[in-house]
Amino acid sequence: MRRKRLDRMQCSIARALDVVGDPWTLLLVRDALLGVTRFEAFQARLQIPRATLTARLEHLVRAGILERRSYQDHPPREEYVPTAKGRGLRPVIITLMQWGDEFARDDPPPTVLEDASTGLPIEPTLVDRVSGAPLTALRVRAVGPLVPRRG
């Protein structure tokens, strides 16, 4: 069954989910951001059916999240590397991981984040770019045509 397209909705979340809403898609982006670039490596890590993998990789290339690069001429071989648009999903992946660690597990998280230069653990948080205050500490409200009015 084909899912409903969301790319014409006014909501930015709906439009983003139209591109990355499939679970395999975000797992492929996660692995690509970790340095996995070759079809066989994606397939081995995720145990994803080859036809599904082919379709998801094509979707990510069409969406401009991954790009194909040739790494061998004979026989021709390509790898899939994140574009700037793909690298822009890193905070989404990290936030989703943190949410999963807190709310979707009852055992210790399998992955921790650390500073690449010091090796010390880090705990990323979303902050307001202007004030530097964590978003959890701010009084935030959404304003726009999709927000129901109160009262």
Side-chain angles (χ1 to χ4, degrees):
M1 180 166 88
R2 176 83 173 122
R3 69 175 175 81
K4 179 181 177 183
R5 289 183 51 178
L6 306 174
D7 62 336
R8 291 189 178 91
M9 292 181 75
Q10 196 173 15
C11 173
S12 296
I13 295 170
R15 289 184 182 193
L17 286 173
D18 197 62
V19 177
V20 298
D22 174 82
W24 288 121
T25 300
L26 282 178
L27 291 172
L28 287 167
V29 171
R30 176 205 62 190
D31 282 3
L33 292 170
L34 291 172
V36 177
T37 61
R38 298 185 180 175
F39 186 96
E40 297 301 329
F42 285 120
Q43 205 279 322
R45 281 178 59 91
L46 296 173
Q47 298 297 298
I48 181 175
R50 294 178 74 81
T52 303
L53 177 56
T54 298
R56 296 311 182 276
L57 288 171
E58 289 298 321
H59 169 75
L60 288 167
V61 169
R62 278 193 315 275
I65 292 169
L66 297 178
E67 67 180 357
R68 266 192 215 90
R69 288 191 188 157
S70 175
Y71 70 87
Q72 180 178 307
D73 290 332
H74 302 291
R77 298 269 190 250
E78 295 178 319
E79 61 184 352
Y80 299 86
V81 296
T83 62
K85 190 174 180 180
R87 292 186 301 275
L89 286 166
R90 184 179 308 277
V92 174
I93 298 292
I94 290 171
T95 302
L96 191 58
M97 183 185 83
Q98 289 176 303
W99 184 90
D101 288 348
E102 186 170 349
F103 297 109
R105 303 187 67 85
D106 57 5
D107 57 343
T111 304
V112 295
L113 301 174
E114 63 180 36
D115 183 296
S117 59
T118 67
L120 296 173
I122 60 171
E123 287 192 41
T125 187
L126 296 173
V127 298
D128 174 54
R129 190 177 304 209
V130 176
S131 69
L135 290 185
T136 55
L138 295 177
R139 294 182 64 188
V140 179
R141 70 176 173 182
V143 179
L146 299 179
V147 181
R149 298 223 184 261
R150 289 191 223 187

